[in-house]
Amino acid sequence: MKVGAVIITMGNRPDELRALLDSVAKQDGDPVEVVVVGNGSPVPDVPEGVRTIELPENLGIPGGRNVGIEAFGPAGRDVDILLFLDDDGLLASHDTAALCRKAFEADPKLGIVSFRIADPENGVTQRRHVPRLRAADPMRSSRVTTFLGGANAVRTRVFADVGGLPDEFFYAHEETDLAWRALDAGWMIDYRSDMVLYHPTTAPSRHAVYHRMVARNRVWLARRNLPAPLVPVYLGVWLLLTLVRRPSRPALRAWFGGFREGWTTPCGPRRPMKWRTVWRLTRLGRPPVI
């Protein structure tokens, strides 16, 4: 199976980007073809053979990754698998691409693989980086219902079936939107603890727009994908969880602003999932109300 990789960058981490590209180049088996997308910024110097695209403006994470997908032909069809890697990450092993090929070849219904993210200094995997509710043991691989945006592999047929990431989201929850659409189309998602991307431990709230985007996109996610009776249940649960976590006053103000924006602005096409997909998500351990 042919493997490609999409990396988006703001051009502000040239050393980390170079280290990541070196780790991709060292993968066992056939070479991985790489496209680096400068998301509203010039692309730093890259090794020979790495393709680059420089966008005149920042399209956000999903928009930048969608440009990278199309660089491999419509819906990425020139390759069988696409890796999506954060530009400050590093593949921990030389066999990650080979493990991806083996996983997708062994399971024709496997559409997406979510890697384990570990801190390069201590090897710790943050709980939020395990894409399931029962996240206490990051070393346990399992079927899951979503995936990690900067450390994953996607079978390109998924994009042909359900489309790419939602450009409108810009940042936050775009992975779950794609995951729900993929699951609704019959694809499966695996979390694999043996496929590791080293990435420094960070807090998602480091992004200035975090609280607003998380709230807005949570509403959009529900409006786009859930059967109508589940929309208020899902959003009500997340509202309660947000209040229980007791964010700061400025954070809460930004969150409610985003929540309101999610109801008053266009969210893209609505394609509610089938009720059998709701049941499937429930059996996988995460009903779409939390």
Side-chain angles (χ1 to χ4, degrees):
M1 301 185 81
K2 294 181 65 176
V3 180
V6 174
I7 302 165
I8 60 173
T9 183
M10 300 292 291
N12 56 350
R13 294 189 281 237
D15 294 340
E16 292 89 340
L17 173 62
R18 187 60 181 248
L20 171 62
L21 292 172
D22 288 346
S23 74
V24 174
K26 292 175 182 175
Q27 292 299 298
D28 298 336
D30 293 338
V32 177
E33 185 179 346
V34 181
V35 169
V36 177
V37 179
N39 214 354
S41 67
V43 175
D45 290 338
V46 296
E48 185 177 351
V50 174
R51 286 192 287 161
T52 63
I53 301 171
E54 295 185 352
L55 302 177
E57 62 178 308
N58 184 354
L59 300 182
I61 293 173
R65 287 184 177 143
N66 283 337
V67 169
I69 293 167
E70 295 300 310
F72 290 92
R77 69 184 181 190
D78 295 345
V79 293
D80 302 294
I81 303 164
L82 276 176
L83 311 180
F84 295 89
L85 307 169
D86 277 351
D87 69 341
D88 56 344
L90 184 75
L91 290 175
S93 173
H94 294 183
D95 66 351
T96 303
L99 288 172
C100 286
R101 291 186 182 99
K102 185 177 179 180
F104 285 113
E105 286 170 350
D107 185 352
K109 296 309 294 179
L110 180 62
I112 302 171
V113 173
S114 188
F115 301 168
R116 181 167 65 88
I117 295 179
D119 186 277
E121 298 296 327
N122 54 30
V124 171
T125 297
Q126 291 180 272
R127 188 181 182 90
R128 69 184 182 89
H129 284 153
V130 182
R132 59 176 179 247
L133 291 179
R134 295 178 178 176
D137 181 9
M139 301 307 295
R140 179 173 66 87
S141 299
S142 68
R143 293 281 199 201
V144 290
T145 61
T146 188
F147 63 100
L148 307 172
N152 67 80
V154 181
R155 191 191 297 266
T156 53
R157 280 177 51 202
V158 172
F159 299 126
D161 278 0
V162 306
L165 295 155
D167 287 336
E168 305 94 331
F169 281 40
F170 196 84
Y171 162 77
H173 302 318
E174 67 272 3
E175 303 93 351
T176 300
D177 187 88
L178 176 61
W180 283 0
R181 286 183 282 126
L183 288 163
D184 198 47
W187 295 102
M188 300 300 292
I189 305 170
D190 279 355
Y191 166 72
R192 289 283 297 266
S193 64
D194 57 337
M195 302 181 190
V196 180
L197 184 85
Y198 285 145
H199 189 282
T201 298
T202 57
S205 54
R206 71 191 185 279
H207 299 289
V209 297
Y210 171 77
H211 296 287
R212 181 174 69 87
M213 291 293 196
V214 162
R216 184 197 69 179
N217 292 359
R218 184 79 70 184
V219 178
W220 281 0
L221 181 68
R223 289 175 58 197
R224 285 164 59 98
N225 295 288
L226 290 181
L230 293 186
V231 172
V233 179
Y234 177 81
L235 295 176
V237 168
W238 279 106
L239 173 60
L240 289 174
L241 284 174
T242 300
L243 295 175
V244 166
R245 290 167 178 165
R246 302 182 68 179
S248 67
R249 189 181 296 271
L252 195 59
R253 187 162 50 246
W255 194 95
F256 274 109
F259 193 81
R260 183 169 53 252
E261 185 181 347
W263 286 108
T264 58
T265 54
C267 63
R270 172 169 166 77
R271 298 187 182 95
M273 65 178 66
K274 308 174 190 71
W275 282 103
R276 68 168 176 262
T277 304
V278 173
W279 174 237
R280 190 174 174 202
L281 287 163
T282 303
R283 286 189 293 110
L284 287 169
R286 190 153 196 165
V289 294
I290 188 169

